[in-house]
Amino acid sequence: MITLRQVTLRRGTKVVLDSASVTLNPGEKVGLVGRNGAGKSTLFALLAGRLQADAGDFEMPPRWRLGEVAQQMPETDDPATQFVLQGDTRLMEAQAELAAAEAADDGEAMAHAHVALEEAGAFDARARAQTLLLGLGFTREQLDAPVNSFSGGWRMRLQLARALMCPADLMLLDEPTNHLDLDALVWLEGWLQRYAGTLLVISHDREFLDAITGVTLHLDDAKLTRYGGNYTAFEEMRAERLSQQAAAYTKQQERIAHLQRFIDRFKAKATKAKQAQSRVKALDRMERLAPVLTASDFSFEFREPPNLPNPMLALRDVDVGYKAPDAPPKVIVHGISRTVLAGQRIGILGANGQGKSTFVKTIAREQPPLAGTVTEGKGLAIGYFAQQEMDLLHADDTPLQHMVRLARTVGPEAREQELRDFLGQFRFTGDMVNQAVGTLSGGEKARLVLASLVWQRPNLLLLDEPTNHLDLNTREALSMALNEFEGTVMLVSHDRALLREVCDEFWLVADGVLKPFDGDLDDYQRWLLERSREAARALSAKASPARAPSPAPATTPSPAAIAAPSPAPSPAPKAAGSGRDDRKAAAQARARLAELTRPLRNELSQIDKRLEKLGAEKADVESQLASPGLAGEQFAELGRRLAHVQAEVAMLEERWLELQTQLEDLTAQGAGG
């Protein structure tokens, strides 16, 4: 387990932890939450051994392997799969051991190294690495592309895949969802739910935290508090705790005031001097409670647009994509015919690379349509938050200089003091307005971009992943501001809480077309799962040669063979002369029980048959993976097929146990009746 006892941790002059004590048990999945700048990443550095505690004791099992996402951008020409494979530290150690043994011509050492390679899963390591890459959104064509050929966001996905490849006892993930689309995020959730080690994750995505964590650590004002439960449970428990603390503080203040009034009234009277002195001592002995101080809530609102054209936009047979010099245009989404009305709240769904951002850029006038017409309503004013918007801020500017330039070039014009007051609404107070933008945190830069949008008074907001660097409080503020905004919102985001709270309809970009999606986010996640299964089935059919299925191994019985339902106990023999009515009633009871349990038994039978087929398929895939001479693409396809088989087996076995319990309960009730 991980134990912190009275740990004090400083970063420079700032106290990050002050006498913190907490215990984390093996296998727990923990969400670490707190406002931006509270010190969450610094605590991770302590757990990873990069920092030492200034006071107190920190203990962690010395043999634990640590997995974490490296924050620096990788610079290498290694193929993507090879780069991810290097994250498997156990495999790398075994390969190094074998190389050293071969160099020394040590036969015994070579034998040990080969055993270590087998234990590290060397035979299917490449397939496992490529399964991670495919799950995180890479295409089969990208699996062996050089790392340096990918953009920054995709390189961070490679770092994430490399961390997941590590056979870690402790996994530290700092904002792992920032560079993921919703498809990859859903996949990552499933992977982390199955992860067997201890997990600590920093995230500002509340639905992600709710899905994977069962413990929440709250870092606030250098204090570390453990809550049992996911993020939603933490919010409820913390609200209750703050309410109790506030009530206790108020009660104590009333008690102090009462004692002080007695002292002030009677300290000069000889007959009451002794009682007054005892009250003074009581006040001195009292352990004073601190008032409940929480981080001030951040809120803002979009200004009322000058006008609301309706419709805002009309798109007719529009193709969007890219047109490079000396090359034919590349159409990504074609034939878009949609109308955007005043007041609509549209969430745009789709995997990375399908064209969501390209579509939004075209509407935002950042690039022209390749075909068709885009008709804008009179007075259309677009506010555009692009994924790379923060990169376009001038590092040497200050927030005040940025706003002065914006007011002059875009409008409306304003005096410097008015701009200072406006920036104060976005937490740029005092000297912060003169701080270089390049020294601001990601969250502060995002707030500056939001301030720029608000200043321009748009009537159409185009937001492309606006929450990547926002903490939970700021995300809540953005959600409230968007709900009160009178104009139209078009939102691309992997933050499901924001999508649920803001959007009332969804458009889906997939397979080169844009169309309305008839359903909510839960329907979309089910659609993604079914689409993934179909792709897996297609890959399996392509990868598997035509052959008769081999029988399931005799050593892998189905759940039914392990724990078949016991028949209802036979009734004890009745005394001679028992009436015909008793036998008839017993027969009717058995018939009712059989009728009641028939659906359960039928489903159990179907599951048993499916598990037998999956057992045969699993054995077939494993035998193919073990055969020499497989190409990398075949490895990847077989690895994906094996992963889907294992996932379906786990799901069916869980359902089998649930049905078995229901059947046994009903059988016991029938026997008792």
Side-chain angles (χ1 to χ4, degrees):
M1 64 177 62
I2 299 172
T3 306
L4 280 73
R5 297 189 190 90
Q6 297 298 309
V7 168
T8 296
L9 180 65
R10 292 183 176 87
R11 199 69 188 265
T13 59
K14 179 181 179 180
V15 178
V16 175
L17 289 179
D18 183 11
S19 301
S21 297
V22 73
T23 298
L24 302 177
N25 300 309
E28 286 187 323
K29 293 182 171 66
V30 183
L32 178 59
V33 301
R35 59 181 173 78
N36 281 348
K40 302 185 293 296
S41 297
T42 305
L43 177 56
F44 265 27
L46 172 68
L47 297 175
R50 294 188 295 274
L51 291 178
Q52 299 296 319
D54 295 282
D57 298 317
F58 163 59
E59 295 178 3
M60 188 173 75
R63 293 184 178 274
W64 272 17
R65 289 182 186 267
L66 176 69
E68 63 175 335
V69 180
Q71 295 303 308
Q72 72 273 15
M73 202 69 71
E75 294 291 344
T76 175
D77 289 325
D78 287 346
T81 299
Q82 184 60 34
F83 178 77
V84 173
L85 268 173
Q86 292 164 8
D88 190 336
T89 53
R90 189 168 57 177
L91 177 63
M92 294 299 104
E93 290 166 5
Q95 288 180 348
E97 183 182 346
L98 178 61
E102 289 175 342
D105 197 21
D106 186 337
E108 183 177 354
M110 282 189 275
H112 283 298
H114 280 291
V115 171
L117 283 169
E118 184 177 352
E119 291 176 347
F123 80 96
D124 68 342
R126 184 176 177 83
R128 288 187 283 115
Q130 293 186 339
T131 298
L132 291 172
L133 288 170
L134 293 169
L136 289 172
F138 291 84
T139 64
R140 287 163 52 191
E141 292 74 21
Q142 294 174 314
L143 294 178
D144 289 309
V147 170
N148 284 343
S149 68
F150 294 99
S151 64
W154 286 97
R155 290 195 209 179
M156 291 313 297
R157 290 198 192 200
L158 286 170
Q159 293 282 39
L160 175 58
R162 184 176 168 127
L164 300 182
M165 191 69 191
C166 178
D169 302 288
L170 172 63
M171 185 80 71
L172 302 177
L173 298 180
D174 191 347
E175 294 290 357
T177 66
N178 270 1
H179 300 281
L180 302 184
D181 57 13
L182 192 51
D183 306 51
L185 190 154
V186 171
W187 178 88
L188 179 62
E189 273 184 10
W191 195 96
L192 292 176
Q193 286 166 351
R194 296 188 298 273
Y195 172 63
T198 304
L199 171 69
L200 267 81
V201 58
I202 298 171
S203 178
H204 296 305
D205 186 329
R206 61 182 307 139
E207 289 208 18
F208 179 73
L209 289 172
D210 278 349
I212 64 172
T213 63
V215 175
T216 300
L217 286 183
H218 183 221
L219 181 55
D220 182 52
D221 195 24
K223 303 296 182 184
L224 195 60
T225 308
R226 175 186 168 117
Y227 294 83
N230 59 18
Y231 184 80
T232 297
F234 150 73
E235 280 193 319
E236 294 170 353
M237 288 185 284
R238 182 166 183 261
E240 178 64 25
R241 176 178 290 190
L242 290 176
S243 176
Q244 292 173 352
Q245 289 177 348
Y249 174 77
T250 301
K251 187 174 182 180
Q252 186 183 69
Q253 292 301 108
E254 292 173 353
R255 172 68 175 161
I256 290 171
H258 175 75
L259 292 173
Q260 192 63 52
R261 283 196 300 271
F262 185 93
I263 293 167
D264 294 341
R265 183 177 179 185
F266 295 114
K267 64 183 178 182
K269 290 190 176 182
T271 56
K272 295 289 187 179
K274 186 176 291 186
Q275 292 94 324
Q277 191 61 34
S278 70
R279 274 25 173 220
V280 172
K281 291 179 179 178
L283 274 179
D284 291 339
R285 289 193 304 267
M286 187 179 295
E287 184 178 348
R288 303 298 176 94
L289 298 175
V292 178
L293 299 176
T294 60
S296 58
D297 291 334
F298 171 60
S299 64
F300 71 97
E301 60 183 22
F302 289 95
R303 298 176 172 184
E304 182 181 354
N307 61 344
L308 289 174
N310 197 18
M312 295 266 181
L313 285 169
L315 299 94
R316 294 292 177 266
D317 299 319
V318 170
D319 292 351
V320 301
Y322 298 97
K323 188 174 182 179
D326 305 323
K330 182 180 179 181
V331 177
I332 299 177
V333 188
H334 61 84
I336 304 172
S337 293
R338 304 294 304 163
T339 301
V340 180
L341 303 176
Q344 277 187 296
R345 300 287 193 274
I346 303 167
I348 303 174
L349 307 176
N352 271 11
Q354 292 294 315
K356 303 188 303 294
S357 295
T358 307
F359 170 64
V360 172
K361 284 179 183 177
T362 303
I363 296 177
R365 313 178 187 122
E366 293 288 308
Q367 57 191 46
L370 300 179
T373 58
V374 178
T375 305
E376 298 182 354
K378 185 178 181 181
L380 179 69
I382 295 175
Y384 177 41
F385 188 116
Q387 288 193 57
Q388 70 277 14
E389 185 75 18
M390 290 190 297
D391 297 333
L392 301 180
L393 295 171
H394 299 293
D396 296 332
D397 267 359
T398 67
L400 182 58
Q401 289 171 339
H402 172 79
M403 290 303 302
V404 167
R405 182 184 298 109
L406 181 70
R408 287 175 181 169
T409 58
V410 180
E413 294 187 11
R415 299 188 310 275
E416 180 178 311
Q417 186 57 49
E418 186 179 352
L419 293 172
R420 284 177 177 271
D421 295 341
F422 177 75
L423 283 168
Q425 299 173 27
F426 291 84
R427 289 181 174 170
F428 293 99
T429 57
D431 292 338
M432 278 194 71
V433 299
N434 294 316
Q435 184 177 339
V437 168
T439 65
L440 298 177
S441 69
E444 290 164 344
K445 291 177 183 176
R447 289 205 308 273
L448 181 56
V449 174
L450 286 175
S452 304
L453 287 182
V454 171
W455 182 261
Q456 297 173 60
R457 298 180 68 184
N459 47 35
L460 172 60
L461 282 173
L462 302 175
L463 307 177
D464 192 355
E465 297 292 359
T467 63
N468 274 353
H469 298 280
L470 300 182
D471 60 23
L472 282 158
N473 286 339
T474 311
R475 291 186 185 205
E476 290 287 343
L478 176 61
S479 174
M480 293 175 63
L482 290 175
N483 278 318
E484 294 171 1
F485 177 57
E486 295 183 6
T488 298
V489 177
M490 300 183 75
L491 173 64
V492 177
S493 179
H494 65 263
D495 187 329
R496 286 160 295 179
L498 184 66
L499 287 167
R500 290 184 202 276
E501 291 165 6
V502 172
C503 301
D504 49 29
E505 63 179 295
F506 295 100
W507 292 358
L508 174 64
V509 182
D511 303 323
V513 297
L514 182 147
K515 58 186 178 182
F517 182 77
D518 186 16
D520 57 16
L521 283 181
D522 294 327
D523 296 320
Y524 178 63
Q525 289 186 206
R526 285 190 285 270
W527 179 82
L528 286 176
L529 181 60
E530 182 56 34
R531 189 177 171 93
S532 174
R533 287 173 177 168
E534 289 175 1
R537 285 194 289 267
L539 282 172
S540 298
K542 182 179 179 181
S544 302
R547 67 175 71 183
S550 56
T555 55
T556 311
S558 70
I562 297 172
S566 304
S570 302
K574 288 184 177 280
S578 294
R580 185 183 304 167
D581 292 342
D582 290 344
R583 291 194 297 273
K584 184 177 180 181
Q588 290 173 343
R590 288 194 297 273
R592 284 195 302 271
L593 180 61
E595 185 66 26
L596 191 61
T597 59
R598 182 177 292 112
L600 299 178
R601 288 184 280 108
N602 288 343
E603 188 173 351
L604 280 168
S605 176
Q606 292 171 0
I607 290 176
D608 286 336
K609 292 176 182 177
R610 180 60 182 158
L611 284 171
E612 287 181 10
K613 292 181 179 179
L614 290 171
E617 187 176 355
K618 181 172 180 288
D620 181 32
V621 173
E622 289 175 341
S623 67
Q624 292 184 60
L625 283 169
S627 61
L630 281 178
E633 186 172 318
Q634 290 174 301
F635 255 119
E637 291 174 350
L638 289 170
R640 288 193 63 169
R641 183 179 166 195
L642 182 61
H644 282 284
V645 167
Q646 291 171 334
E648 188 174 355
V649 167
M651 180 184 68
L652 288 174
E653 287 180 345
E654 184 176 350
R655 177 60 178 162
W656 185 93
L657 289 171
E658 181 183 337
L659 292 169
Q660 178 66 28
T661 301
Q662 295 177 22
L663 183 59
E664 289 175 352
D665 289 345
L666 288 172
T667 303
Q669 292 171 13

